[in-house]
Amino acid sequence: MSVASRSSRAMEVLRAMLEPRLDARAQEWLALACDECSRLPDRAEVRFPTLISLASRKVPRGALEPSNSAREAARELVPGWNPERWTILDAARAMLVLSRAHLDGPQAVAILDEVFRHADVGELCALHRSLQLLPDNARFAWRAGEGCRSSMGAVYEAAACDTGLPCARFDDLAWRQLVVKALFVGAPVARIHGLDQRLDAELARMVLDLVDERRSAGRGIPPGAWACLGAHGGLRARDSMLRELDRGQAAGRAGAILGLARAGHADLVAGHAAGGESDPLVLAALSSARSARPSQDDYAHLHGL
Amino acid sequence: MRFFDPHIHMTSRTTDDLEAMSKAGVRAIIEPAFWLGQPRTSVGSFIDYWSSLVGWERFRAAQFGVAHYCAMGLNSKEANDEGLAREVLAELPRFAFKEGVVAIGEIGYDEITKAEEKAYQWQLEFAVQHDMVVMVHSPHRDKKNGIRRSIAVAKECGLSMEKLVVDHNNEETVQDVLDAGAWAAFTIYPHTKMGSERMVEIVRQYGPRRIIVDSSADWGVSDPLSVPKTARLMLERGIDPAAVELTTWQNALDAYGQSGQIDMEALLKTPVVDQRQLYHQNSVLRGQAPRVEETVPND
Ligand SMILES: [Zn+2]
């Protein structure tokens, strides 16, 4: 499929998700605004950012709540695209972005920079969510990295989670920083698309350093930390997870069990199972650790516990 | 009780203030764009300041269960740098329609110069064209004359008076503002000018209609708890509780709610402090456990 037709297919998917959420007036405004975006000149200018802003005054607030079939269509079209947590406004703004003329041309980065530079929090979220849908989105990797450096969790999640762009386009340094930042801001690592494909020894070291820092400070460790090691942490990771099994809360123990299984320590998992564990969260982790090698998705329900 | 402080410069205040405001029942605030105590030297610093009003400052306030709205504009003091003012006004439309922008403000006069008038008129016309509310900062010197002129020019520009809020009033100016049909806001300054005691007498004399109390707390000596403290004094001195509610909550909501940017339903819910919600980050919480699902106390 050509990149241009992927963008137009993404518009169809968005349109289908928006249709049940917009009344006639909002639909009419959005159609006119998209049409205007499609006729804007090939340079950074003020009208496009204004339309992105105005959308908040024309489109209702609230969650997009896409149907299962719409989510399926999104996932099939763009690897990593999960609109489950999008708002209606995010989707409308993504429509405007995809309608913008010349985003396949050499001015695309400058045109989008102009919008990002003056964006408020809601706009930043929508813009970051839209980047994955654009043609040749490697051009926007630096911009996406800016979002992953944000200390505003909503912006971070929009740039880092439920999108395939970072996994496909970030260099190693940016990627590892993104993953460690998730642990700092309390974002769910399970929703970082491609986490399991891009684990390495350097990331494991960074995460284990963070774990040690947290322990020195007497603070808890997010269960997702144990999803960031794979088989790359060696004995240091093994010992750190055993310590979590010994002293951690239930969610941390469950995360460590999954982590041990991911690192190939079936014997240690079995040993813990024999040791009289009774917490349902940990028992569930033990059972999934014994049936198959756990994936990042197995950490989803541990987030925030 | 719950309070709305419709004029406060949170960018100059600390998280201690936000915590105290939240505890005292301040549910919502408006942060109007103003100067920084000294003039800015480039349009870029206006842009970054405006961005912070719809970004970081809103996020900081939300972490303490305080809904943050703002007003966008070029203030009168900096309007006197005419070259810069032209550049700044050209950027204003980018920010005026962002979520949570409830007014153009604070604008108006400082020394009542020609340059101030030019920027004021430009912004009034912009507000009229886009059907927006205007928050006017009245001058501290030659106040009575400045307020009369602010109202007259706003009328000339076609602004309807229910869309006009004139701030920093006192006993000498309130009648002019009320007679014009505009909203009269009062800034409670500790030690000087308008104190809570004078405010009690103004509400006693003029009634609560179209009267609004605010703190205008900023980088100077000021009190972010002025609104709840004044409300308490009004109640102690026998002002009707309904009048207290109007002047410290409902009137400001009615005035700025005309923007359509205040989600009344969300605001009326019992606020909950959830520092995990919406924007997790580490710059407000430095190692502390996030406060989660604590109901904000009501009195
Ligand atoms: Zn002020």
Side-chain angles (χ1 to χ4, degrees), chain B residues 7-9 32-34 106 135 137 167-168 216-218:
Chain B
H7 188 146
I8 183 165
H9 302 284
F34 197 43
E106 50 186 299
M135 182 197 290
H137 159 100
D167 210 335
H168 315 318
S216 296
D218 57 17

Side-chain angles (χ1 to χ4, degrees), chain A residues 208-241:
Chain A
L208 290 169
D209 282 354
L210 173 65
V211 166
D212 288 348
E213 257 179 49
R214 288 278 165 104
R215 281 179 172 150
S216 296
R219 298 173 61 190
I221 297 153
W226 313 115
C228 305
L229 306 172
H232 302 282
L235 293 179
R236 187 184 173 201
R238 185 201 66 185
D239 293 346
S240 196
M241 288 188 279

